[in-house]
Each structure stands twice: as structure tokens, then as C-alpha cells.
Short mmCIF file of all heavy atoms in Angstrom, two decimals:
data_model
loop_
_atom_site.label_atom_id
_atom_site.label_comp_id
_atom_site.label_asym_id
_atom_site.label_seq_id
_atom_site.Cartn_x
_atom_site.Cartn_y
_atom_site.Cartn_z
N LYS A 24 75.50 -19.76 -14.38
CA LYS A 24 74.56 -19.06 -13.51
C LYS A 24 74.21 -19.91 -12.29
O LYS A 24 74.08 -19.39 -11.17
CB LYS A 24 73.29 -18.71 -14.29
CG LYS A 24 73.46 -17.59 -15.30
CD LYS A 24 72.12 -17.26 -15.96
CE LYS A 24 72.23 -16.06 -16.88
NZ LYS A 24 70.92 -15.73 -17.51
N THR A 25 74.09 -21.20 -12.50
CA THR A 25 73.74 -22.10 -11.38
C THR A 25 74.80 -22.09 -10.31
O THR A 25 74.51 -22.27 -9.12
CB THR A 25 73.53 -23.52 -11.92
OG1 THR A 25 72.45 -23.52 -12.86
CG2 THR A 25 73.20 -24.49 -10.79
N HIS A 26 76.07 -21.87 -10.71
CA HIS A 26 77.17 -21.96 -9.74
C HIS A 26 77.62 -20.61 -9.21
O HIS A 26 78.64 -20.52 -8.53
CB HIS A 26 78.34 -22.71 -10.37
CG HIS A 26 78.07 -24.19 -10.55
ND1 HIS A 26 77.41 -24.70 -11.64
CD2 HIS A 26 78.31 -25.25 -9.74
CE1 HIS A 26 77.29 -26.00 -11.51
NE2 HIS A 26 77.83 -26.37 -10.38
N GLN A 27 76.85 -19.57 -9.52
CA GLN A 27 77.13 -18.28 -8.90
C GLN A 27 76.76 -18.33 -7.43
O GLN A 27 75.74 -18.92 -7.04
CB GLN A 27 76.34 -17.17 -9.59
CG GLN A 27 76.70 -15.77 -9.12
CD GLN A 27 75.98 -14.69 -9.93
OE1 GLN A 27 74.92 -14.95 -10.52
NE2 GLN A 27 76.56 -13.51 -10.00
N GLN A 28 77.58 -17.75 -6.57
CA GLN A 28 77.34 -17.83 -5.13
C GLN A 28 76.59 -16.60 -4.62
O GLN A 28 76.41 -15.61 -5.35
CB GLN A 28 78.66 -18.04 -4.41
CG GLN A 28 79.35 -19.34 -4.83
CD GLN A 28 80.53 -19.71 -3.97
OE1 GLN A 28 80.60 -19.40 -2.79
NE2 GLN A 28 81.50 -20.42 -4.58
N SER A 29 76.16 -16.64 -3.39
CA SER A 29 75.24 -15.63 -2.85
C SER A 29 75.83 -14.22 -2.86
O SER A 29 75.08 -13.24 -2.93
CB SER A 29 74.82 -16.02 -1.43
OG SER A 29 75.96 -16.13 -0.58
N ASN A 30 77.15 -14.09 -2.79
CA ASN A 30 77.76 -12.76 -2.80
C ASN A 30 77.99 -12.22 -4.21
O ASN A 30 78.55 -11.14 -4.39
CB ASN A 30 79.08 -12.76 -2.02
CG ASN A 30 80.13 -13.67 -2.66
OD1 ASN A 30 79.89 -14.31 -3.68
ND2 ASN A 30 81.30 -13.73 -2.04
N GLY A 31 77.55 -12.98 -5.21
CA GLY A 31 77.68 -12.55 -6.59
C GLY A 31 78.89 -13.10 -7.32
O GLY A 31 79.00 -12.93 -8.54
N GLY A 32 79.80 -13.74 -6.60
CA GLY A 32 81.02 -14.22 -7.22
C GLY A 32 80.99 -15.70 -7.54
O GLY A 32 80.00 -16.41 -7.29
N TRP A 33 82.09 -16.16 -8.10
CA TRP A 33 82.28 -17.58 -8.42
C TRP A 33 83.61 -18.06 -7.83
O TRP A 33 84.55 -17.28 -7.68
CB TRP A 33 82.34 -17.79 -9.93
CG TRP A 33 81.03 -17.78 -10.65
CD1 TRP A 33 80.28 -18.86 -11.03
CD2 TRP A 33 80.32 -16.63 -11.14
NE1 TRP A 33 79.16 -18.45 -11.70
CE2 TRP A 33 79.14 -17.09 -11.79
CE3 TRP A 33 80.55 -15.25 -11.08
CZ2 TRP A 33 78.22 -16.24 -12.37
CZ3 TRP A 33 79.63 -14.39 -11.65
CH2 TRP A 33 78.48 -14.87 -12.29
N GLY A 34 83.67 -19.33 -7.52
CA GLY A 34 84.91 -19.93 -7.03
C GLY A 34 84.88 -21.42 -7.22
O GLY A 34 83.81 -22.05 -7.23
N GLU A 35 86.05 -22.01 -7.39
CA GLU A 35 86.14 -23.46 -7.57
C GLU A 35 87.45 -23.95 -6.97
O GLU A 35 88.51 -23.36 -7.18
CB GLU A 35 86.07 -23.83 -9.05
CG GLU A 35 86.10 -25.33 -9.32
CD GLU A 35 85.84 -25.67 -10.77
OE1 GLU A 35 85.51 -24.76 -11.56
OE2 GLU A 35 85.99 -26.85 -11.13
N THR A 36 87.37 -25.03 -6.25
CA THR A 36 88.54 -25.62 -5.60
C THR A 36 89.31 -26.51 -6.56
O THR A 36 88.70 -27.19 -7.41
CB THR A 36 88.11 -26.45 -4.39
OG1 THR A 36 89.24 -27.18 -3.88
CG2 THR A 36 87.03 -27.46 -4.74
N PRO A 37 90.65 -26.55 -6.45
CA PRO A 37 91.41 -27.51 -7.25
C PRO A 37 91.02 -28.96 -6.98
O PRO A 37 91.31 -29.84 -7.79
CB PRO A 37 92.87 -27.24 -6.81
CG PRO A 37 92.87 -25.83 -6.33
CD PRO A 37 91.52 -25.64 -5.69
N ARG A 38 90.34 -29.17 -5.87
CA ARG A 38 89.88 -30.53 -5.55
C ARG A 38 88.94 -31.09 -6.60
O ARG A 38 88.74 -32.31 -6.70
CB ARG A 38 89.21 -30.53 -4.17
CG ARG A 38 88.94 -31.91 -3.60
CD ARG A 38 90.21 -32.61 -3.19
NE ARG A 38 90.00 -33.95 -2.68
CZ ARG A 38 90.95 -34.85 -2.48
NH1 ARG A 38 92.21 -34.51 -2.73
NH2 ARG A 38 90.68 -36.04 -2.02
N SER A 39 88.37 -30.19 -7.44
CA SER A 39 87.43 -30.65 -8.47
C SER A 39 88.11 -31.53 -9.51
O SER A 39 87.42 -32.27 -10.23
CB SER A 39 86.75 -29.46 -9.15
OG SER A 39 87.70 -28.63 -9.81
N TYR A 40 89.43 -31.47 -9.60
CA TYR A 40 90.14 -32.39 -10.50
C TYR A 40 90.07 -33.82 -9.98
O TYR A 40 90.01 -34.77 -10.75
CB TYR A 40 91.60 -31.98 -10.66
CG TYR A 40 91.81 -30.75 -11.51
CD1 TYR A 40 92.07 -29.52 -10.93
CD2 TYR A 40 91.76 -30.82 -12.90
CE1 TYR A 40 92.28 -28.38 -11.70
CE2 TYR A 40 91.97 -29.70 -13.69
CZ TYR A 40 92.22 -28.48 -13.08
OH TYR A 40 92.41 -27.36 -13.85
N ASP A 41 90.11 -33.97 -8.65
CA ASP A 41 90.01 -35.30 -8.04
C ASP A 41 88.57 -35.74 -7.87
O ASP A 41 88.26 -36.93 -7.97
CB ASP A 41 90.71 -35.29 -6.67
CG ASP A 41 92.18 -34.95 -6.76
OD1 ASP A 41 92.96 -35.87 -7.04
OD2 ASP A 41 92.53 -33.79 -6.57
N GLU A 42 87.70 -34.77 -7.58
CA GLU A 42 86.30 -35.06 -7.33
C GLU A 42 85.45 -34.16 -8.23
O GLU A 42 85.05 -33.07 -7.84
CB GLU A 42 85.97 -34.82 -5.86
CG GLU A 42 86.82 -35.66 -4.90
CD GLU A 42 86.58 -35.29 -3.44
OE1 GLU A 42 85.42 -34.99 -3.09
OE2 GLU A 42 87.55 -35.28 -2.67
N PRO A 43 85.16 -34.61 -9.45
CA PRO A 43 84.43 -33.76 -10.40
C PRO A 43 83.07 -33.28 -9.90
O PRO A 43 82.56 -32.28 -10.40
CB PRO A 43 84.29 -34.67 -11.62
CG PRO A 43 85.42 -35.63 -11.53
CD PRO A 43 85.59 -35.88 -10.06
N GLU A 44 82.52 -33.97 -8.92
CA GLU A 44 81.23 -33.52 -8.39
C GLU A 44 81.35 -32.17 -7.68
O GLU A 44 80.34 -31.51 -7.39
CB GLU A 44 80.65 -34.56 -7.43
CG GLU A 44 81.48 -34.86 -6.21
CD GLU A 44 82.52 -35.96 -6.40
OE1 GLU A 44 82.82 -36.27 -7.59
OE2 GLU A 44 83.02 -36.50 -5.40
N LEU A 45 82.58 -31.73 -7.39
CA LEU A 45 82.81 -30.43 -6.75
C LEU A 45 82.97 -29.32 -7.78
O LEU A 45 83.24 -28.18 -7.41
CB LEU A 45 84.06 -30.49 -5.87
CG LEU A 45 84.01 -31.43 -4.67
CD1 LEU A 45 85.35 -31.42 -3.94
CD2 LEU A 45 82.89 -31.05 -3.72
N ARG A 46 82.80 -29.62 -9.06
CA ARG A 46 83.01 -28.61 -10.10
C ARG A 46 82.16 -27.37 -9.84
O ARG A 46 81.00 -27.45 -9.44
CB ARG A 46 82.70 -29.19 -11.47
CG ARG A 46 81.24 -29.52 -11.72
CD ARG A 46 81.03 -30.16 -13.08
NE ARG A 46 81.67 -31.46 -13.16
CZ ARG A 46 81.59 -32.27 -14.22
NH1 ARG A 46 80.95 -31.89 -15.29
NH2 ARG A 46 82.18 -33.45 -14.21
N GLY A 47 82.79 -26.23 -10.01
CA GLY A 47 82.08 -24.96 -9.85
C GLY A 47 81.83 -24.55 -8.42
O GLY A 47 81.14 -23.56 -8.18
N THR A 48 82.41 -25.27 -7.45
CA THR A 48 82.19 -24.94 -6.05
C THR A 48 83.52 -24.68 -5.36
O THR A 48 84.54 -25.28 -5.69
CB THR A 48 81.46 -26.07 -5.30
OG1 THR A 48 82.30 -27.24 -5.26
CG2 THR A 48 80.17 -26.44 -6.00
N GLY A 49 83.51 -23.78 -4.40
CA GLY A 49 84.72 -23.43 -3.67
C GLY A 49 84.68 -21.98 -3.24
O GLY A 49 83.71 -21.25 -3.50
N THR A 50 85.72 -21.55 -2.57
CA THR A 50 85.82 -20.17 -2.12
C THR A 50 85.78 -19.21 -3.31
O THR A 50 86.49 -19.42 -4.30
CB THR A 50 87.12 -19.96 -1.32
OG1 THR A 50 87.15 -20.87 -0.23
CG2 THR A 50 87.21 -18.53 -0.80
#
């Protein structure tokens, strides 16, 4: 729920494998 974005969807970048702090974030 915390990582749901303003348009109602979810997205995560593959960059989160290199930078775990990006988990749950992305287009």
C-alpha cells in the first residue's frame, strides 16, 4: 500500500536489484 502511486498503479525499476533502496519505485 505504501508503494502505490498516485494514479492507482504500481511500478518498479530493474535498477532496484542494484540499488535496493529503489524497491517498489518506478514507472
Side-chain angles (χ1 to χ4, degrees):
K24 288 183 174 181
T25 299
H26 289 85
Q27 187 174 25
Q28 299 190 30
S29 59
N30 64 0
W33 282 262
E35 183 173 353
T36 172
R38 191 70 182 168
S39 62
Y40 287 102
D41 299 277
E42 302 174 37
E44 62 272 17
L45 296 177
R46 68 183 66 177
T48 65
T50 303

